[in-house]
Amino acid sequence: MEKFLDKKDVQVKVFANKIDHYLKLNIEGGLIYQSITEVKKEITEVFEDAEGYLLDLTALKQIDSTGFGVIVNTAKRIKTGRVMIIIIKDDYIRDLFRITKLDRLFSIVESVEEGLKMLDKTDI
Amino acid sequence: MKSMRLEMMPVSQEIERVDHEIERFLIDEGFKQYKDVQFAAHELLINSVKAMNQKYEDSCPYVIKIEAKANSEIVELSVTDYGGGLAEDWRQSLENVLFEDILMMESGRGLLLINCLTDFFDCSLTPDGAATYTIIKRRDDNGKVS
């Protein structure tokens, strides 16, 4: 019926790449309590100033309350007036953003292209 | 009623193993909204590990006990630890605090999410100091919350 989560699915991977003047931050695997210290450290390492941010969670397999805390803290690093768009494909993770009302804090889209378009519109 | 009992050391590395066991149990039971229960159970495990580490640091003499039961109507899952239980006003906090109130905060979402994703959530203390957290999810619920 469903695929069980393998250990490798929830191993976390954090990396970033620049797309024009924006920074795309990717978190893959599990954004969960067990990996949270490592994730915070890796985000600090890859985070840099940009005119807009995409947080790509399309390869995220699992998130918990501590993971939401990390996302909120990442948003606090962003300079006033700049925005972070979150890319989510998984329906359940999207639902969790709705339940926690974090969809009011961040715009949530389903693809990088959609996110880039939104950032272009908000460019000053 | 089918049931499953597990024990884990109060260390974060154990959470993943128990997560998987609970997921397997719920899926084997054909529980459609298993993700809600699995999520809530994971949050309970985090709370237990944190509480017991805080209380006993590296010399915890207790394990965390997990019990899951399922029948044609409900899934009931309980987590028992010796971390001291919740703050006295936890029930009030759950009623009074909204996700909107903690939007920019790093923590505080765990109990609210457990409460939101399940049909019943309670914490009880026994005289020997054990705290048992119980969640129940009905099968006939469509798994969505408003």
Side-chain angles (χ1 to χ4, degrees):
Chain A
M1 180 168 107
E2 296 277 347
K3 182 185 170 291
F4 293 115
L5 277 177
D6 291 329
K7 199 162 189 164
K8 62 179 177 354
D9 287 336
V10 291
Q11 277 175 356
V12 73
K13 191 175 167 191
V14 178
F15 58 99
N17 55 293
K18 273 275 180 92
I19 302 178
D20 298 329
H21 40 286
Y22 304 130
L23 184 73
K24 183 159 86 76
L25 196 59
N26 303 266
I27 304 177
E28 299 181 352
L31 189 49
I32 50 178
Y33 180 66
Q34 301 93 296
S35 63
I36 230 65
T37 309
E38 187 189 341
V39 172
K40 282 179 179 176
K41 192 172 151 250
E42 287 184 14
I43 288 175
T44 302
E45 279 171 16
V46 299
F47 193 88
E48 56 181 281
D49 192 33
E51 290 182 22
Y53 297 83
L54 290 173
L55 177 60
D56 190 345
L57 302 181
T58 49
L60 193 69
K61 303 288 181 194
Q62 193 183 355
I63 187 167
D64 63 21
S65 60
T66 61
F68 288 117
V70 165
I71 291 173
V72 169
N73 269 3
T74 304
K76 286 180 186 170
R77 292 169 177 262
I78 295 170
K79 286 181 184 170
T80 311
R82 295 180 184 173
V83 295
M84 183 165 84
I85 311 279
I86 303 185
I87 308 161
I88 304 171
K89 280 190 176 158
D90 184 282
D91 287 341
Y92 191 70
I93 293 175
R94 191 181 277 261
D95 251 5
L96 291 172
F97 271 81
R98 182 182 57 79
I99 292 166
T100 53
K101 310 293 182 201
L102 288 172
D103 61 346
R104 296 182 187 179
L105 195 60
F106 306 106
S107 294
I108 295 171
V109 296
E110 284 189 34
S111 68
V112 174
E113 294 70 31
E114 221 181 318
L116 285 171
K117 270 186 201 168
M118 202 173 270
L119 283 176
D120 284 340
K121 279 185 196 166
T122 55
D123 246 359
I124 303 165
Chain B
M1 185 172 266
K2 294 207 177 150
S3 66
M4 173 186 74
R5 284 182 185 180
L6 301 167
E7 286 185 359
M8 65 177 264
M9 297 298 289
V11 292
S12 64
Q13 298 90 324
E14 279 275 89
I15 295 176
E16 195 173 315
R17 173 181 67 81
V18 176
D19 272 352
H20 289 205
E21 293 289 339
I22 292 171
E23 181 189 35
R24 201 171 286 268
F25 176 80
L26 295 167
I27 291 175
D28 285 349
E29 285 305 306
F31 198 72
K32 282 183 189 166
Q33 313 95 287
Y34 77 93
K35 286 185 179 178
D36 288 345
V37 180
Q38 190 191 14
F39 190 100
H42 175 84
E43 293 295 328
L44 288 177
L45 297 177
I46 295 174
N47 284 351
S48 292
V49 169
K50 275 187 189 170
M52 283 171 77
N53 285 342
Q54 206 169 1
K55 196 167 176 182
Y56 301 100
E57 295 183 347
D58 292 334
S59 54
C60 183
Y62 301 107
V63 293
I64 297 169
K65 292 179 180 174
I66 301 104
E67 186 174 10
K69 296 184 233 171
N71 63 21
S72 59
E73 291 178 359
I74 61 157
V75 164
E76 180 179 333
L77 187 136
S78 63
V79 174
T80 300
D81 67 36
Y82 283 82
L86 298 171
E88 251 178 58
D89 62 345
W90 72 273
R91 225 181 279 266
Q92 265 184 316
S93 297
L94 274 183
E95 283 167 18
N96 298 333
V97 179
L98 303 171
F99 283 111
E100 289 91 326
D101 301 331
I102 55 165
L103 214 50
M104 290 304 291
M105 285 166 64
E106 184 176 5
S107 59
R109 292 178 183 83
L111 290 185
L112 288 177
L113 276 162
I114 293 168
N115 201 39
C116 240
L117 295 171
T118 59
D119 295 306
F120 174 85
F121 172 44
D122 195 24
C123 170
S124 61
L125 285 168
T126 59
D128 73 334
T132 298
Y133 305 88
T134 305
I135 53 173
I136 295 176
K137 183 85 177 171
R138 282 193 298 271
R139 280 186 193 263
D140 59 354
D141 189 72
N142 64 8
K144 299 280 179 187
V145 291
S146 54

